[in-house]
Amino acid sequence: MATKQVEMPQRAAEAHETVVVRFAGDSGDGMQLTGGQFTLSTALAGNDLATFPDFPAEIRAPQGTLFGVSAFQINFGSRQIDTAGDAPDVLVAMNPAALKTNLSAVKPGGLIIADTGAFTKRNLEKAKYDSNPLEDGSLAKYDLLAFDISERTVEAVKPFGLGNKDALRSKNMWTLGLALWMFGRPRKPIHDWLNQKFTKAPDIAAANIAALDAGHAYGETAELSGPLRQLHLDPVPSAPGLYRTITGAEAVALGLVAGARLLNLPLFFGGYPITPASAILHHLARLKEYGVTTFQAEDEIAAICAAIGASYAGSLGVTSSSGPGIALKTEAIGLGIMTELPLVIVNSQRGGPSTGLPTKTEQSDLYQAVYGRNGDAPMPVVAARSPADVFECAIEACRIAVQYMTPVMLLTDGYIANAAEPWLVPDPDTFERMPATFLGEKNAKDTDGEDVLLPYKRDEKGARPWIKPGTPGLMHRIGGIEKAVETGHLDYSPGNHQAMTDARADKVQGVNVPDQTVELGETSGKLALVGWGSTYGPIHQAVLRARRQGMDVSHIHVRHIWPLPANLGELLRGFDRVLVPEMNTGQFKTVLRDQYLIDAQPLTKVSGQPFQIAELEAAIATYFDGIKGNAGGEDIEANEQQLPNPESGHDDGTTPRDLRMMHDRDN
């Protein structure tokens, strides 16, 4: 059928610069897999892209309920893409709950593709609809393509003898086939992936391929007379080289391995599963051939203590967690600071406090990273701004940890960890090799001229020597009790503690940090937006749009959170106003005020969702609208366009009994 349709007259594909697509359905509908494979096909087509997977914390929320909706958003186009997009041009809604929780986000005139087979009376009740929105005219301001995806999927896989329940599991592949047709994407890479994934179950692979091809063929049919039309996006102009899509978690893993290789060290990773950091352990476990040892410990404390032990033994110790797990690791982080051993701690931040929002993003661990330990225990902190940027940040964290003999915290967040973007694979020869050195002999002489070991004798950077245990003649004390200057003997004396506290602080403050640059705009002016971490994309786009309108605004983005770049204070003083957007209640703003005594204003958001470009554009505009007293920081209110909206609720055990019974019958 598809071949015949190609021969018939068709409308020319419409050209677009960017398109935002959101796939939404039940947690078990395979929306993350669908989005991931569409991302792969988009990358192969040469478009720039950014993704935003968004899913509930519940392992499996009751089917068809509002709080069980899982979504995957991708923004792609023929120009540079910095964010996953504010509002979808296309929404694929696999059931009523997916439509209700996402409808407010869709642009007026946008396309809604809905599976009528899932809009049953029961599912409409679960989604709190009084009438069927596909039939009552409430979607009049959108293009609506409503048809029975479920029925068409069952029909497509009928030759393979699957039962109805198993057949419907291919519904996401049918939907993916339709999306591939809409944007002129090839099916072969998905065919190859399915054949590889189901090598031991070729019938399942064939059924999914049939569903994919049927969805693609339907696009050709529907295009002739309905609202569905093919869209064309040219490849983005890109520098020559090898590209791949990469998530933040993958980039962390690859960056840690690259950093260890550049240091000529084996890598030991001690971790404990926690969302959204678990994927780092999964990726590193596949890289054993590069000198990587992974250890899934019984708890967070054991994980970091094992990493510290590995560093003591001569490996590069690494551990990873999110806010709650970092809290449990805190005493051991202090041990790493006291023993002055290299250690990299990756914090994939999520909404808190306590268990908080396990699958939602936030930047609320900055205080924890910079200050959150007992005693005066300073530690370098590096923050990545995007999935691709994590790779270089991980190498930088490894460099600092080894060269300065100190724990280092690398901050990412849930958005960075799960999101994907194209990555130009760097040439390994462009990275400076920095092989670690170990002390092999005694490093001082006593008053009698005899060779002696001073395990805390510092070099010009303030770092003590790294001594492998078992090195002949270099036995020394190690542990959490205060050490004497140079000798490392136990010493409680006031003067010694003052000297060692100062030495540890001076070492961290002396870390070689590049000068701060301006990402967009001038080095002085009326307004600077200062960001860190994953706020980079929306800030950059908002500032770019504001500057096109003639506004005197610049974008500064800080990678080195502690110690801060030496020129940052002078740079900030060159602006009349400083606005700090961050996904917390103003933590970095407080650090800047403390360090530089500038009147930095906060722009905060703690809804578990990233900033939208429009939110930042509106904040910038208040500085240039001429209304006295209008400019200044504020809290960004929860945005109903982003999941989950107030309609969706959460699984707090209060699901009505009749809905729970319906769920039990369905499963």
Side-chain angles (χ1 to χ4, degrees):
M1 181 178 71
T3 303
K4 292 181 180 179
Q5 292 296 340
V6 168
E7 295 172 354
M8 297 178 68
Q10 296 188 11
R11 288 179 286 185
E14 295 184 7
H16 285 250
E17 191 177 41
T18 64
V19 174
V20 180
V21 178
R22 184 182 293 182
F23 301 94
D26 259 330
S27 296
D29 280 342
M31 294 297 94
Q32 303 305 317
L33 187 146
T34 301
Q37 291 305 306
F38 186 76
T39 298
L40 172 64
S41 68
T42 298
L44 290 173
N47 296 129
D48 199 8
L49 63 93
T51 70
F52 180 38
D54 199 345
F55 41 87
E58 290 81 7
I59 293 174
R60 184 65 173 90
Q63 189 175 12
T65 56
L66 291 165
F67 52 80
V69 173
S70 174
F72 187 103
Q73 183 162 305
I74 176 172
N75 181 16
F76 58 101
S78 55
R79 61 165 174 79
Q80 180 179 333
I81 300 293
D82 291 313
T83 77
D86 282 5
D89 300 287
V90 179
L91 170 64
V92 180
M94 304 300 284
N95 62 16
L99 177 64
K100 188 160 194 176
T101 56
N102 290 277
L103 182 59
S104 61
V106 182
K107 294 176 181 177
L111 175 64
I112 296 174
I113 300 173
D115 177 14
T116 59
F119 279 69
T120 62
K121 183 176 184 296
R122 180 178 297 173
N123 282 344
L124 289 167
E125 290 174 352
K126 290 180 182 180
K128 303 178 183 178
Y129 274 120
D130 296 326
S131 60
N132 190 336
L134 305 183
E135 301 171 351
D136 63 10
S138 60
L139 304 180
K141 68 177 180 179
Y142 308 101
D143 278 342
L144 176 63
L145 182 63
F147 54 94
D148 198 334
I149 295 176
S150 300
E151 181 184 24
R152 285 173 167 79
T153 302
V154 172
E155 184 68 25
V157 302
K158 184 182 292 185
F160 302 94
L162 300 180
N164 190 68
K165 186 175 181 179
D166 289 335
L168 288 175
R169 289 176 178 167
S170 299
K171 193 165 64 169
N172 62 330
M173 286 295 107
W174 197 101
T175 305
L176 177 59
L178 179 61
L180 294 178
W181 175 85
M182 282 183 65
F183 300 101
R185 304 288 184 248
R187 286 168 284 166
K188 186 177 184 306
I190 314 300
H191 288 179
D192 294 343
W193 175 80
L194 286 167
N195 285 322
Q196 182 179 13
K197 181 177 178 64
F198 296 107
T199 302
K200 297 181 180 179
D203 288 348
I204 299 298
N208 278 284
I209 289 172
L212 182 87
D213 290 346
H216 193 277
Y218 179 85
E220 298 170 353
T221 305
E223 189 267 348
L224 295 177
S225 57
L228 191 63
R229 52 195 178 276
Q230 207 165 26
L231 305 177
H232 174 74
L233 292 91
D234 290 326
V236 64
S238 302
L242 175 65
Y243 286 81
R244 58 159 291 182
T245 58
I246 194 166
T247 66
E250 290 174 307
V252 169
L254 294 175
L256 291 171
V257 172
R261 301 282 283 191
L262 292 170
L263 290 160
N264 198 27
L265 292 171
L267 178 70
F268 177 92
F269 181 90
Y272 179 77
I274 184 171
T275 303
S278 301
I280 298 171
L281 172 60
H282 302 161
H283 292 303
L284 283 171
R286 304 186 187 105
L287 301 174
K288 294 179 180 179
E289 66 268 31
Y290 297 104
V292 177
T293 300
T294 54
F295 169 55
Q296 181 175 317
E298 64 269 29
D299 56 44
E300 297 281 10
I301 299 171
I304 187 171
C305 288
I308 292 172
S311 287
Y312 174 58
S315 294
L316 176 57
V318 180
T319 191
S320 170
S321 192
S322 190
I326 298 297
L328 293 169
K329 297 177 189 288
T330 297
E331 184 181 359
I333 295 174
L335 175 63
I337 292 170
M338 178 63 85
T339 56
E340 299 189 52
L341 288 168
L343 177 70
V344 176
I345 305 137
V346 183
N347 183 351
S348 301
Q349 302 167 92
R350 71 190 204 187
S354 188
T355 307
L357 308 174
T359 62
K360 307 304 176 185
T361 195
E362 210 163 89
Q363 294 179 300
S364 51
D365 295 349
L366 185 140
Y367 283 164
Q368 185 184 44
V370 176
Y371 304 119
R373 292 161 293 283
N374 66 298
D376 286 298
M379 177 175 66
V381 179
V382 179
R385 70 187 190 185
S386 69
D389 186 55
V390 175
F391 178 80
E392 291 188 4
C393 288
I395 294 176
E396 176 73 347
C398 294
R399 176 191 73 83
I400 294 173
V402 170
Q403 291 185 350
Y404 292 87
M405 293 295 286
T406 179
V408 178
M409 188 170 289
L410 171 59
L411 292 176
T412 72
D413 58 42
Y415 175 54
I416 290 176
N418 295 321
E421 66 180 4
W423 178 50
L424 175 59
V425 180
D427 181 352
D429 292 336
T430 61
F431 289 94
E432 179 185 357
R433 298 194 174 273
M434 40 193 180
T437 58
F438 295 91
L439 190 65
E441 58 185 14
K442 295 177 179 178
N443 59 348
K445 293 184 180 296
D446 62 15
T447 55
D448 297 326
E450 296 292 326
D451 290 336
V452 294
L453 171 65
L454 296 177
Y456 283 83
K457 181 181 179 181
R458 303 183 183 277
D459 63 15
E460 68 282 356
K461 301 188 299 296
R464 80 172 186 90
W466 197 354
I467 306 170
K468 286 185 180 181
T471 304
L474 301 188
M475 184 182 296
H476 62 286
R477 290 182 178 84
I478 198 83
I481 298 178
E482 185 63 279
K483 308 296 184 297
V485 173
E486 292 196 338
T487 67
H489 300 326
L490 303 187
D491 192 336
Y492 291 179
S493 65
N496 178 77
H497 180 54
Q498 179 75 59
M500 289 296 280
T501 299
D502 291 343
R504 289 187 289 265
D506 291 343
K507 177 179 69 173
V508 171
Q509 285 299 321
V511 169
N512 183 19
V513 171
D515 278 349
Q516 183 64 48
T517 58
V518 177
E519 297 292 333
L520 184 62
E522 313 301 330
T523 56
S524 62
K526 184 171 183 179
L527 175 65
L529 264 66
V530 181
W532 66 278
S534 65
T535 58
Y536 176 87
I539 293 176
H540 199 72
Q541 282 297 317
V543 170
L544 181 64
R545 295 178 186 182
R547 289 183 62 82
R548 286 173 178 167
Q549 298 175 42
M551 299 181 194
D552 182 9
V553 57
S554 298
H555 175 201
I556 297 170
H557 217 77
V558 182
R559 170 185 282 186
H560 290 270
I561 303 299
W562 199 264
L564 292 162
N567 70 325
L568 181 59
E570 180 182 357
L571 181 62
L572 296 181
R573 292 187 189 98
F575 293 90
D576 297 340
R577 307 293 291 272
V578 172
L579 183 65
V580 186
E582 49 187 331
M583 293 184 291
N584 57 47
T585 56
Q587 296 182 19
F588 192 48
K589 168 269 302 178
T590 303
V591 172
L592 295 178
R593 286 182 176 182
D594 169 62
Q595 293 297 303
Y596 304 122
L597 300 179
I598 61 169
D599 186 22
Q601 294 295 312
L603 183 69
T604 64
K605 184 174 184 177
V606 285
S607 63
Q609 300 292 339
F611 279 103
Q612 290 190 330
I613 300 170
E615 293 168 342
L616 296 172
E617 282 188 282
I620 293 170
T622 64
Y623 288 84
F624 299 92
D625 59 12
I627 301 175
K628 187 175 181 180
N630 194 35
E634 59 180 17
D635 296 334
I636 299 294
E637 296 181 0
N639 192 329
E640 294 187 14
Q641 292 184 350
Q642 297 177 294
L643 279 175
N645 72 16
E647 292 281 354
S648 62
H650 66 285
D651 188 5
D652 59 0
T654 61
T655 303
R657 181 173 181 272
D658 58 337
L659 291 188
R660 288 201 299 271
M661 292 176 64
M662 285 190 288
H663 170 65
D664 293 340
R665 288 197 300 269
D666 291 341
N667 291 277

